[in-house]
Amino acid sequence: MLTRVKSAVANIMGGIMAGGTNGDHLGISDLPLKFPYMRPEFLGLSPDEIECSADHIARPILILKETNRLPWTTGYAEVINAGKSALNEDQACCEVVALKRRPAPSTPSHTPTTHRRSSLPNGEGLGLRESADSEGLVLHYWGLFDGHAGSGAAVVASRLLHHHIQLHLQEVQDILRNPAVLPTTCFGEEPNHHQHHQHLSPGGAQRALTRAASLRGASGAPGSPSTPAPRFFTEKKVQHESLVIGAIENAFKDMDGQIEREKAVYNISGGCTALAVVHLLGKLYVANAGDSRAIIVRNGEIVPMSTEFTPETERQRLQFLGFMQPHLLGNEFTYLEFPRRVQRKEVGKRMLYRDFTMNGWAYKTIEDDDLKFPLIYGEGKKARVLATIGVTRGLGDHDLKVHDSNIYIKPFLSCCPEVKVYPLTQFEHGADDVLVLATDGLWDVLSNQEVAEAVTCFLGNCDPDDQNRYTMAAQDLVMRARGVLRDRGWRIANDRLGSGDDISVYIIPLLHGNRQT
Ligand code: MG
């Protein structure tokens, strides 16, 4: 077992996480691609340009052409990796999506349609096919996807996730459009406590009254003239923004489910992280599943808008799953964590450990079971789940197994994003206040502080009226993270190693968001 796991570590870490193969060219699948490999649609690249962009030696930085403006004059830049995979496994998408007033019957298995206007300057001039749509809400959407073990899942998610968000928001848009009314528990009908009362049998009604009174701690007889009419069931107040959050969360779940289903008929390789931003009704919703990152830089200050999901940050969730469902560990892994691998000669000795209930450490007597490979092993960027994968949330990966075994990784991965909300209209924003979204290729080598300082400094030296200033700032960030080729390696400031990963960066000006609302 030990040999096999060692081999798994060597091969799969090399293949999946650190690079090597990309999974697209292996000829494993005879199935057609769901979508062809591409670069973000908004870059408007020709096939020749796409081919040139995949130069792992020159690593050209791609930016938006001046004619291809994104909503809010969003800036974007990207660069391919230094050779870890043949293709750039990052993907990006930016759309302006109009919610239809009357949603068509949901058909999850087919690709929903949407109206888009992303090709128009600043997203102006929405062209709608149906007059009813003109009353629908409009949302702005930015997505970043970082693929692994192939580019298939990232390509599919970049093409479809916003459609799933659209479908879920359409279901609740009538509620969202009326800020004076909080969502009711039952969708589509007014709560009527009298009606509910009438459906109860006399005995049941009495029991409900007694229970309601006891819950309220009431001492008087229920329903007596001096007490107000009883409300049998208290109702939790759900805010509008929670409905948006729920819609986004379910959209991620549906996207993951669609990838799983369609793998039966399409070649959808690997998995991907997903970072999605939705602007709706004056708020920014930043949804993250994976290790990309979003920060707001406002007046030079940093507001973190995401947290990364890695084997280390999600250790306790993963350990708990391994504890509750030990069969998922295949009798080859232990859910317990030790500071290092336990050796056979240490059986019977006392050693530091921690389980899912602990943040601290304690000692236990080592048993044979503790010789199994740890469910979570390694530190920092080298930490892995089941010796295989370094991110714990994302889309896809349904076929991913521990090397040379039947142990699936997917049960330990979550497609649920964490959604953070930023009340855009509650703040005054200047032209240099931005939301920065980037894949881990940027954050691996630059800190939040370095990114904030670089962006603030760059924008401060730009003409405030220059429509390309945010794309140039994104290009500057990618340049700082990639560095220059020197002494057979990519070097950045202070002679540090540059990022050899794919790097993708959005810079979204917040001033335009204020103007939109
Ligand atoms: Mg990456």
Side-chain angles (χ1 to χ4, degrees), residues 1-2 5 315 318-343 351-356 364-378 384-387 402 407 412:
M1 189 282 283
L2 194 61
V5 172
R315 173 183 61 84
L318 301 170
Q319 284 184 306
F320 184 61
L321 182 58
F323 168 76
M324 292 297 287
Q325 301 196 46
H327 66 280
L328 297 176
L329 300 171
N331 206 30
E332 297 201 11
F333 292 87
T334 170
Y335 70 89
L336 292 180
E337 183 185 15
F338 300 94
R340 61 167 169 77
R341 284 299 309 279
V342 181
Q343 299 172 44
M351 193 164 174
L352 283 171
Y353 85 103
R354 59 180 173 176
D355 70 15
F356 61 89
K364 80 181 286 286
T365 302
I366 295 298
E367 304 162 31
D368 279 348
D369 246 19
D370 301 328
L371 297 174
K372 292 175 181 172
F373 201 86
L375 166 61
I376 295 159
Y377 191 66
R384 296 288 181 270
V385 179
L386 295 169
V402 174
I407 303 171
F412 293 92

Side-chain angles (χ1 to χ4, degrees), residues 223-416:
S224 68
S226 60
T227 56
R231 291 175 63 90
F232 298 138
F233 306 106
T234 57
E235 188 166 317
K236 188 173 271 187
K237 286 188 172 56
V238 174
Q239 302 299 320
H240 282 202
E241 74 175 36
S242 297
L243 276 189
V244 180
I245 294 169
I248 295 171
E249 288 167 335
N250 279 338
F252 272 63
K253 206 159 51 183
D254 284 359
M255 184 70 258
D256 194 53
Q258 185 178 358
I259 291 173
E260 182 176 22
R261 282 192 313 278
E262 296 201 347
K263 279 181 78 73
V265 286
Y266 293 109
N267 173 14
I268 304 175
S269 57
C272 67
T273 67
L275 173 61
V277 175
V278 170
H279 175 260
L280 184 65
L281 295 168
K283 291 181 178 175
L284 282 171
Y285 297 84
V286 181
N288 187 43
D291 60 359
S292 293
R293 186 183 300 169
I295 63 168
I296 281 174
V297 182
R298 189 181 64 212
N299 210 11
E301 301 284 314
I302 298 164
V303 183
M305 289 303 298
S306 66
T307 48
E308 282 97 73
F309 295 100
T310 67
E312 286 186 307
T313 63
E314 294 219 89
R315 173 183 61 84
Q316 285 169 290
R317 174 179 76 78
L318 301 170
Q319 284 184 306
F320 184 61
L321 182 58
F323 168 76
M324 292 297 287
Q325 301 196 46
H327 66 280
L328 297 176
L329 300 171
N331 206 30
E332 297 201 11
F333 292 87
T334 170
Y335 70 89
L336 292 180
E337 183 185 15
F338 300 94
R340 61 167 169 77
R341 284 299 309 279
V342 181
Q343 299 172 44
R344 176 154 293 283
K345 65 183 180 188
E346 292 170 317
V347 172
K349 294 185 177 171
R350 302 277 289 168
M351 193 164 174
L352 283 171
Y353 85 103
R354 59 180 173 176
D355 70 15
F356 61 89
T357 59
M358 304 167 70
N359 271 313
W361 295 81
Y363 283 95
K364 80 181 286 286
T365 302
I366 295 298
E367 304 162 31
D368 279 348
D369 246 19
D370 301 328
L371 297 174
K372 292 175 181 172
F373 201 86
L375 166 61
I376 295 159
Y377 191 66
E379 278 184 289
K381 291 299 285 185
K382 291 182 177 164
R384 296 288 181 270
V385 179
L386 295 169
T388 302
I389 189 166
V391 285
T392 51
R393 297 204 191 188
L395 306 167
D397 285 321
H398 298 91
D399 295 338
L400 186 60
K401 292 182 192 177
V402 174
H403 179 69
D404 200 19
S405 86
N406 238 353
I407 303 171
Y408 280 92
I409 311 294
K410 186 65 175 176
F412 293 92
L413 306 181
S414 168
C415 64
C416 300

